[in-house]
Amino acid sequence: MFLNLMYITNHPEIAKIAESAGTDCIFVDLEYIGKADRQKGLDTVLSHHTFADVANVRSVLKKAKLLVRCNPIHEKSDLINSTEEEIDAIVNNGADIIMLPYFKKAEEVARFLTAVRGRTKTMLLVETPGAVKNIDSILKLPGIDYIHIGLNDLSIGYGQKFLFEPLADGTVGMLCKKFKDKGIPYGFGGIASLGKGLIPSEYIIKEHYRLGSTAAILSRSFCNAELMKSFDEIRSAFEKGLQQIRKLEQECQNGAFDLEKNFAEIQEKVEKIVAED
């Protein structure tokens, strides 16, 4: 069973290319509330996607699932609709899965699940120390279909220097065990093309298999469409990159690697990067 791979885009043509190459889930990102402030100064992307983007991407997908990230739980104001109104709009525009980001308490998750009302699948994005602290009470709630661990904001929340520190220090492994015990499919973080990243992607993919993860986001460094000159170049990046990832995954499934040794090497690499920062 290969990882379910997600790619963030609001461009229908790129969504079609990603789907055709084998991407399992196209990810439209509506989250903006509070995001710019907490990621200030970091090399991250604010997507600025819209409800129209949800509908436009929905219209071109044939087999890939459409995942939409809503905003964190919020109230209605003169400028924004309430969480409930936002989720209604996401459902009406064709989402298959709705992701809740940046929650801290079970009460927030309960409100989200109530708003969705089973109309789509649900995914929780665990990315705050509060969510980790309260994870046992959160996991008691019915209606959680998937969980993803967001390494970037989680490392920021813990005051860490490098996004893979929660992976190296065992936090991700602890959470994955809890999710597995509850029978909820889970994933974490993002992966680049093989050979890329401060921690090369092949190390992270192997760690997904060690921890029983079922999903990962294809990161901006996997295919940064904004830097590419043509759709043909984007198509080539997807086809080549996914072929390489799937080949490595097959080797993982065949037991070709010592996954515990791989995790120890990740810990060493993270420790070195943090020490040099």
Side-chain angles (χ1 to χ4, degrees), residues 6-12 15 25-32 35 47-61 65-71 86 90 93-101 217:
M6 302 174 272
Y7 183 73
I8 299 175
T9 184
N10 67 336
H11 196 301
C25 194
I26 304 302
F27 186 155
V28 175
D29 186 9
L30 301 181
E31 183 191 8
Y32 69 92
K35 196 168 186 177
S47 297
H48 302 295
H49 295 177
T50 67
F51 294 124
D53 293 326
V54 177
N56 289 338
V57 171
R58 168 79 280 159
S59 70
V60 303
L61 296 183
K65 298 296 185 183
L66 176 56
L67 168 66
V68 179
R69 176 160 55 189
C70 64
N71 279 292
E86 182 179 65
I90 293 171
N93 279 287
D96 295 305
I97 309 165
I98 303 178
M99 172 190 278
L100 176 67
I217 297 170

Side-chain angles (χ1 to χ4, degrees), residues 75-204:
E75 305 301 333
K76 185 180 180 66
S77 74
D78 292 338
L79 299 177
I80 57 174
N81 291 328
S82 67
T83 286
E84 287 74 14
E85 291 169 316
E86 182 179 65
I87 287 174
D88 285 345
I90 293 171
V91 172
N92 292 337
N93 279 287
D96 295 305
I97 309 165
I98 303 178
M99 172 190 278
L100 176 67
Y102 214 72
F103 57 89
K104 300 175 183 178
K105 298 179 180 180
E107 291 80 4
E108 295 169 276
V109 176
R111 181 174 169 183
F112 166 70
L113 296 172
T114 299
V116 174
R117 301 198 309 276
R119 292 174 292 171
T120 70
K121 297 293 186 181
T122 61
M123 181 182 291
L124 303 184
L125 182 60
V126 174
E127 57 179 345
T128 68
V132 175
K133 179 182 177 181
N134 295 311
I135 198 64
D136 290 332
S137 60
I138 290 168
L139 291 177
K140 292 178 182 178
L141 297 170
I144 302 168
D145 295 303
Y146 309 103
I147 299 179
H148 200 81
I149 303 170
L151 298 181
N152 192 54
D153 274 309
L154 189 58
S155 62
I156 292 171
Y158 282 127
Q160 295 171 327
K161 298 179 179 179
F162 183 41
L163 82 161
F164 283 119
E165 286 186 74
L167 185 63
D169 68 15
T171 300
V172 171
M174 176 273 293
L175 289 170
C176 288
K177 184 178 185 307
K178 289 180 180 290
F179 305 153
K180 184 176 182 179
D181 289 345
K182 286 290 185 178
I184 301 173
Y186 54 89
F188 63 86
I191 54 177
S193 299
L194 297 194
K196 293 184 179 180
L198 288 174
I199 306 291
S201 183
E202 48 266 43
Y203 286 91
I204 305 304

Side-chain angles (χ1 to χ4, degrees), residues 186-259:
Y186 54 89
F188 63 86
I191 54 177
S193 299
L194 297 194
K196 293 184 179 180
L198 288 174
I199 306 291
S201 183
E202 48 266 43
Y203 286 91
I204 305 304
I205 292 170
K206 293 173 191 175
E207 183 65 356
H208 276 274
Y209 276 82
R210 187 183 78 88
L211 293 177
S213 167
T214 61
I217 297 170
L218 295 171
S219 69
R220 183 172 37 141
S221 57
F222 173 84
C223 179
N224 191 341
E226 293 181 359
L227 300 182
M228 296 185 176
K229 299 178 181 179
S230 68
F231 288 132
D232 285 341
E233 186 177 356
I234 295 169
R235 183 176 293 106
S236 176
F238 267 99
E239 291 176 351
K240 180 180 178 181
L242 284 175
Q243 184 180 41
Q244 292 175 336
I245 287 172
R246 296 311 192 192
K247 181 177 182 295
L248 178 63
E249 286 188 81
Q250 187 63 63
E251 292 172 349
C252 288
Q253 293 180 26
N254 293 340
F257 307 108
D258 184 335
L259 299 182

